Amino acid sequence: MPRQLFGRSEESRIITEMLESATTGTGSVALMEGIIGTGKTSLLRWAEETARERGMGVFSATASPTEQHFSLGVVHQLLGTLPETAQGWERAFASSAAAGDGPAEPDYPLLAELCAGVGRAARRTPILLTVDGVQHADRTSLLWLGFLSRRLDNLPVVLLATKRCGEPASDQHLLVEFMEGVRPDRHIHLHDLSPSAAFDLAAALCGHDHESVDALVADTGGNPYLLTEQIRTVPAGPGGPPPGGAAPAPDAAGGRSPADPPDERIRLQAVRERIMCMLRRLDPHGLEIARAASILGSPLDPAILADLCGVPTEDACRGLSRLTESGLLCPHDMTFRHPLLAGLLYQDIPCAERAELHRLAARAMWRRSAPCEDVAAHLLRSHRLDEPWMARLLLDAAQDIVGRDPAGARRLVEKAVLHGVPDELGARAEGLRIQALTALDLPASARALTAHTAGPLGPAERLQEALRLSDILLRLDEPACARQVLEDARTAIGAVDPSAAARLRERLTHIRLHEGTYRPGPEAGDGAGDRLERVMLLRTAAGDSAQAVRRIADRFLAAPRAPYGSPTWYHALLALLWAGDVDEARRHMETEVRLARAEGTTTRIAEALAVRGLVQLHRGLLAEAEDDAVQALGLLTRIGAAPYHAGALARSVLIDVALEKDDVAAAGALLDEAPPLTGEQPVTWWRLHLLHSAGRALGRLGQAQRGLALIARCEEELTRRGVVNPAILPWRSTRATLQRALRNMAAARRAAREEAELARRWDAPFALGRSLIAQSEASSGREALQLAEQALEILDAAPTPLLSAHALYEAGRAHRQIGKARRSRELLHRANELGISLGADGLVEAVQRELRYAGGRPDPRKDSTESLLTPTERQVSELAAGGMSNRDIAHLLKVSLRNVESHLTHSYRKLRISGRHELARYFPPEEETTAAAAPVLLYQPRSAVTPPHQLRTG
């Protein structure tokens, strides 16, 4: 397809029909109108080529503003070579000479004679006349074109003209008269290409593999001329520079990026010059107004625009109207229609002048009470801040955006500091910079805050900064430094402020808990308000009565005793999780994640996601746990804190998920990326979880001895902390697994038995079931069977499907070992289905291997989560996932409502989901559906699941 016809199928059809009509003796006239660059001239040249191929005579003219004073100049371009019009030209030149310097007014006989000459020539062969840029035609030519267009019905002549929107004509009345003579269906309005047509054109010009096609299409707004020129001047290939003529990309604070390098500014020179010529023709102040508009961006205020250009407001309004009519600005929001043109105009302004215009724009907008961010965007690009309000406004804008755009806030603060801030704003500027750094580079923010706290600060400010610094240091796994910061602050503040002393004491308690130096008890010096938390921590660590701890945790989690996201709140949340109330812990974590996202603090979001991943792992939701941990690790990596604090927990969750999915290579890669212990790094609370997961992974990697060393470190650290509860970290059962790998069965049984005894005292289903499974694995014969049956009975009613699947597997294995193959196969089939539904590939492989040993075989049709459903269950689930109600499904399949509800209930159970809103995860909507004549009945005999598209009616 010729490039002129991309997105122009309807226009080309109209022109083709007109050419065909001319060959049968019927003439016509058409006008193609559009903004600059929409392909009017290219389509005109295509029409000329097509006419020549059909044997028509083609005569063309191009109108120019510089030739508007030549009478009949455009007509002479068209007909000057026709012998049939020679006599008419002699009369025309004679009339022009007689007129002298004034314009020659052609008389009716002259116009008629020229038209007659065209008619005589057309009798020899049909003719196509084209006029490009008819708005620039001289007055007499416009008069003749209108004269001819009204006499074409019986002549084999086609007249095609183009007109650019917004440009003034030599005689507007004659141009309108000519346009009124064009049939509405032949008044062709050319617009920018649609996104798909623009992409096709760009792909045809530079290849489908060009990495910048999407960016080029967006940059040019689909304008064919701009798109073609952009591609022509952009070096192809991934190594080429980005579109150089693009508008300066807005930075995070709303300002524009620095100008492109000088070598980029010479690109698209022809486009720039053409646009500037057009702007000068549109209005005496057209170029200045367009440049100022590229500085201001959106929205455009005519009063501010007038100030920047130094013209009256009425002239600025008129200039904006002309720019809108010409298609450079969008009429609904007064923004540049093509970002490329905005960039070219912006680049054309000298750097110093551009900076001064930004400063003037900021001042004008500030006087009109514009939003701080809009004013700051211009101050950021100015070269001087010479008024007192400017630095203050930059800091105000930074305060507004620091939560959602820390990088932009940091630039605003550094701009203010570079040009000088008043002494009274110095502390505020440094505080904002540190706050922005916290969301960009946590180690750098710790260094900056350390230097800031070393300066002269008042008691209240010192307390606030000490608390901030201690929190950052704690998240960087430096609890000793965090504790020292708080101790120094307590010494500096003294006992003057009891509330400040209480806040410091509370934070010190939490730091000691994190590093393991805190011992709950009256001697710790806790306040009366902390006694309940002390009891909860003491009972949880000692593994004494899960029910009592659950009651205390519920009291803490009920607002407003402990705010969401606070250390006390997390202590209660984890106590609730370890006490066995997984669903309630998950519900609270969902709320905390939403609140953290609303607040926007990166460290809080990452910690919430990591802990939610741990809860999801306890629940057996491997995909959700992995997703949360990956998100948390990504956020922490972005701020340079991935190796620390919650990053260790996220890696622990990812390792455990990888082991459950039998992806040992992924677990090994995680260990290689961040070894659990490096040098003298302190074993903080979340790093304990990473140590435990790393020990499990090393056992699967065939390095059981190294795994035992990590588990020994866990034991040592937990003993130092006074933690014996196996629900917190089941290191004893992991040790039993590693000992079994080393064939040390006696040591394995001792470790598993010890954990089971402690778990019975704690009496939480998850911990007790896990310990009984480990004890069963280390035992044999009827003892193993008895332990596995106990675990299965305990876990059957608990919301722990993954652990239940492991219990089913262990019970099936024990049954097979004592010769009960039938019962073994029954349990193993259940474990197989449950493991598949949870995505626990490692368990599924072990179950299927054991199933073969028991004389059975896994169902080959059940190899994925969705395949666990029966055909009828899958059919109903697909319809429900598509948005149909139960009643509509029953009506479509001609079954009872109760039947549909029963099938959905079975599907939810097999897929391990809570309702129809989660079905879309397994049955995503199809992109294309084919209608069938009639629905398929639910109980119609068939050998396979009915395809979804056969269930949909037209």
Side-chain angles (χ1 to χ4, degrees):
M1 178 188 295
R3 70 178 63 176
Q4 302 95 325
L5 300 187
F6 277 94
R8 303 296 186 223
S9 57
E10 181 62 22
E11 292 82 356
S12 61
R13 181 191 63 79
I14 294 173
I15 294 173
T16 303
E17 289 178 355
M18 292 173 62
L19 297 178
E20 290 176 352
S21 298
T23 58
T24 62
T26 304
S28 56
V29 59
L31 176 66
M32 292 183 287
E33 185 174 7
I35 65 175
I36 185 172
T38 47
K40 301 179 294 296
T41 302
S42 298
L43 201 55
L44 209 61
R45 300 295 170 252
W46 172 82
E48 293 171 358
E49 183 180 349
T50 304
R52 291 189 185 98
E53 292 174 355
R54 294 171 179 268
M56 299 177 65
V58 178
F59 302 93
S60 61
T62 300
S64 170
T66 58
E67 298 182 7
Q68 284 185 351
H69 63 282
F70 295 133
S71 180
L72 290 175
V74 170
V75 181
H76 188 265
Q77 285 188 61
L78 286 173
L79 310 179
T81 59
L82 274 179
E84 290 83 355
T85 61
Q87 186 176 357
W89 290 122
E90 291 178 0
R91 289 185 57 192
F93 292 148
S95 300
S96 177
D101 294 335
E105 292 291 340
D107 54 7
Y108 182 89
L110 176 58
L111 297 178
E113 185 173 348
L114 290 174
C115 286
V118 173
R120 288 192 298 273
R123 279 194 287 271
R124 289 188 287 106
T125 179
I127 289 177
L128 169 65
L129 302 176
T130 64
V131 180
D132 194 14
V134 70
Q135 76 277 2
H136 296 315
D138 59 278
R139 182 179 180 279
T140 52
S141 293
L142 274 176
L143 181 63
W144 183 83
L145 289 172
F147 189 88
L148 175 66
S149 66
R150 293 186 289 274
R151 290 163 174 79
L152 290 182
D153 289 345
N154 299 318
L155 292 177
V157 177
V158 175
L159 173 59
L160 290 182
T162 66
K163 174 184 177 295
R164 185 182 295 165
C165 295
E167 293 200 354
S170 58
D171 191 313
Q172 189 66 28
H173 296 292
L174 289 176
L175 180 60
V176 171
E177 183 179 344
F178 170 72
M179 294 168 62
E180 287 178 347
V182 180
R183 277 173 37 181
D185 60 324
R186 290 174 181 167
H187 190 166
I188 303 171
H189 295 274
L190 295 180
H191 303 284
D192 291 331
L193 300 179
S194 65
S196 59
F199 185 88
D200 291 341
L201 174 59
L205 292 173
C206 63
H208 288 276
D209 296 331
H210 199 289
E211 295 181 356
S212 300
V213 167
D214 289 331
L216 289 170
V217 171
D219 197 32
T220 58
N223 187 279
Y225 168 67
L226 298 178
L227 184 61
T228 303
E229 287 298 305
Q230 183 80 314
I231 292 174
R232 186 177 64 82
T233 57
V234 172
D251 61 24
R256 291 182 172 87
S257 62
D260 290 335
D263 59 327
E264 293 295 323
R265 296 189 58 180
I266 64 174
R267 297 179 53 247
L268 295 171
Q269 184 69 28
V271 177
R272 182 185 293 110
E273 294 299 331
R274 185 176 176 185
I275 294 299
M276 289 181 181
C277 288
M278 186 189 77
L279 289 170
R280 292 187 182 99
R281 287 196 304 269
L282 287 177
D283 189 85
H285 306 291
L287 181 57
E288 290 80 3
I289 291 174
R291 284 175 170 176
S294 72
I295 290 286
L296 281 178
S298 177
L300 291 177
D301 187 330
I304 299 178
L305 203 64
D307 288 346
L308 292 185
C309 299
V311 300
T313 305
E314 294 78 6
D315 291 346
C317 291
R318 186 182 66 250
L320 286 176
S321 298
R322 297 262 174 94
L323 292 178
T324 304
E325 291 170 2
S326 67
L328 294 183
L329 299 180
C330 296
H332 56 279
D333 58 1
M334 300 298 288
T335 58
F336 276 92
R337 189 185 299 270
H338 312 102
L340 173 66
L341 295 185
L344 290 175
L345 290 168
Y346 187 82
Q347 291 174 8
D348 191 64
I349 307 172
C351 183
E353 181 182 348
R354 187 163 58 218
E356 182 62 16
L357 286 173
H358 277 297
R359 190 184 69 85
L360 294 175
R363 185 170 63 183
M365 294 172 67
W366 175 71
R367 288 175 176 173
R368 289 167 174 80
S369 301
C372 283
E373 286 187 51
D374 295 342
V375 180
H378 292 286
L379 290 178
L380 198 63
R381 301 290 299 122
S382 64
H383 284 179
R384 58 194 176 101
L385 306 179
D386 56 352
E387 298 183 38
W389 61 267
M390 293 181 173
R392 184 175 287 103
L393 185 138
L394 284 174
L395 296 182
D396 290 342
Q399 183 76 56
D400 292 340
I401 69 171
V402 68
R404 67 178 187 275
D405 183 11
R410 181 183 179 185
R411 282 194 293 271
L412 292 174
V413 172
E414 290 176 349
K415 178 74 173 181
V417 172
L418 178 65
H419 291 267
V421 296
D423 293 340
E424 64 272 14
L425 297 179
R428 183 187 178 199
E430 183 63 15
L432 283 171
R433 189 179 76 88
I434 294 171
Q435 187 178 352
L437 273 177
T438 304
L440 297 171
D441 187 344
L442 204 62
S445 72
R447 293 190 295 270
L449 192 54
T450 301
H452 181 57
T453 54
L457 299 174
E461 190 177 1
R462 179 172 296 279
L463 171 65
Q464 180 181 355
E465 299 303 332
L467 292 173
R468 286 175 61 189
L469 179 57
S470 66
D471 183 68
I472 293 174
L473 292 172
L474 195 62
R475 295 180 185 280
L476 292 173
D477 284 348
E478 297 182 19
C481 295
R483 187 178 70 253
Q484 187 61 47
V485 167
L486 295 180
E487 294 285 1
D488 293 344
R490 185 160 64 176
T491 302
I493 295 173
V496 178
D497 188 351
S499 64
R503 292 177 64 186
L504 287 170
R505 184 174 61 249
E506 179 184 5
R507 182 63 61 87
L508 281 167
T509 298
H510 292 144
I511 288 177
R512 293 192 181 105
L513 278 168
H514 192 74
E515 65 179 348
T517 59
Y518 177 77
R519 295 294 178 271
E523 69 279 0
D526 297 335
D530 300 326
R531 290 173 184 168
L532 193 61
E533 181 182 9
R534 188 169 65 237
V535 171
M536 179 182 67
L537 293 172
L538 183 61
R539 287 197 168 191
T540 303
D544 184 15
S545 182
Q547 286 188 354
V549 169
R550 188 185 300 119
R551 286 193 297 270
I552 299 174
D554 284 334
R555 291 181 61 183
F556 269 104
L557 294 173
R561 188 169 192 104
Y564 271 89
S566 65
T568 299
W569 185 88
Y570 270 115
H571 294 160
L573 184 282
L574 292 173
L576 188 67
L577 175 67
W578 294 326
D581 202 342
V582 183
D583 285 339
E584 187 67 11
R586 184 186 177 195
R587 185 180 66 81
H588 282 292
M589 280 311 306
E590 296 288 349
T591 304
E592 165 59 13
V593 170
R594 286 196 299 271
L595 293 174
R597 292 189 192 279
E599 180 185 287
T601 306
T602 305
T603 50
R604 181 179 175 184
I605 297 172
E607 186 173 19
L609 287 171
V611 176
R612 189 174 71 172
L614 178 65
V615 175
Q616 306 276 33
L617 187 62
H618 274 68
R619 186 68 175 78
L621 304 175
L622 299 180
E624 290 82 351
E626 182 179 27
D627 183 58
D628 281 342
V630 168
Q631 288 186 57
L633 209 54
L635 289 172
L636 293 171
T637 301
R638 196 175 69 190
I639 62 173
Y644 315 110
H645 195 58
L649 176 61
R651 291 184 189 277
S652 170
V653 171
L654 288 175
I655 290 173
D656 288 342
V657 169
L659 294 179
E660 292 293 347
K661 290 186 173 183
D662 200 28
D663 193 352
V664 183
L670 286 165
L671 292 180
D672 293 339
E673 288 175 9
L677 286 177
T678 54
E680 299 300 322
Q681 195 172 31
V683 184
T684 53
W685 181 249
W686 292 133
R687 189 162 295 279
L688 270 172
H689 289 71
L690 181 57
L691 278 175
H692 178 258
S693 299
R696 291 185 61 211
L698 288 172
R700 293 284 296 276
L701 288 167
Q703 303 177 41
Q705 203 64 50
R706 287 185 58 198
L708 283 172
L710 294 183
I711 297 302
R713 185 66 184 275
C714 284
E715 178 187 8
E716 176 188 346
E717 185 63 26
L718 288 170
T719 302
R720 183 177 70 85
R721 293 170 179 263
V723 177
V724 297
N725 189 348
I728 297 175
L729 213 59
W731 60 268
R732 297 173 183 84
S733 58
T734 303
R735 171 176 284 175
T737 302
L738 295 172
Q739 292 288 6
R740 285 193 298 110
L742 295 173
R743 308 289 183 181
N744 191 345
M745 300 306 296
R749 281 193 291 272
R750 279 197 305 272
R753 190 180 304 114
E754 182 182 355
E755 179 165 312
E757 291 172 357
L758 293 170
R760 283 193 176 90
R761 190 178 71 178
W762 176 242
D763 195 22
F766 189 89
L768 183 54
R770 182 170 53 191
S771 63
L772 289 173
I773 292 172
Q775 193 176 1
S776 175
E777 289 173 345
S779 304
S780 59
R782 295 195 174 276
E783 182 185 3
L785 176 59
Q786 183 181 5
L787 293 168
E789 291 285 1
Q790 289 179 22
L792 193 57
E793 182 180 356
I794 291 170
L795 295 172
D796 192 45
T800 54
L802 183 58
L803 201 57
S804 297
H806 281 280
L808 285 167
Y809 163 70
E810 187 56 35
R813 188 180 69 85
H815 275 287
R816 181 189 64 81
Q817 288 179 346
I818 64 172
K820 296 184 177 180
R822 182 176 179 181
R823 176 60 176 166
S824 173
R825 290 193 295 269
E826 178 185 340
L827 295 171
L828 291 172
H829 275 298
R830 287 173 56 192
N832 185 53
E833 290 192 2
L834 198 50
I836 291 173
S837 70
L838 297 170
D841 297 337
L843 175 63
V844 170
E845 183 177 350
V847 167
Q848 293 184 356
R849 183 171 55 249
E850 191 66 32
L851 190 57
R852 295 186 186 95
Y853 294 159
R857 61 174 182 172
D859 190 340
R861 295 169 299 174
K862 295 182 178 180
D863 57 355
S864 66
T865 304
E866 299 90 332
S867 65
L868 296 174
L869 307 182
T870 65
T872 53
E873 291 167 351
R874 182 183 179 93
Q875 186 179 33
V876 172
S877 298
E878 285 180 342
L879 292 173
M884 292 185 67
S885 66
N886 291 359
R887 191 172 299 279
D888 290 339
I889 296 173
H891 178 71
L892 177 67
L893 302 179
K894 303 188 185 312
V895 295
S896 67
L897 180 61
R898 185 173 181 179
N899 197 296
V900 171
E901 293 171 349
S902 174
H903 283 301
L904 284 176
T905 300
H906 292 160
S907 299
Y908 299 158
R909 177 180 57 79
K910 292 181 179 180
L911 297 176
R912 318 303 301 178
I913 59 179
S914 58
R916 67 194 302 129
H917 61 282
E918 297 184 62
L919 283 172
R921 194 168 71 231
Y922 300 100
F923 304 103
E926 297 180 358
E927 294 182 1
E928 297 181 0
T929 57
T930 304
V936 178
L937 299 184
L938 187 62
Y939 292 113
Q940 177 179 331
R942 56 188 179 278
S943 57
V945 178
T946 304
H949 66 268
Q950 294 184 8
L951 299 178
R952 297 177 174 87
T953 60

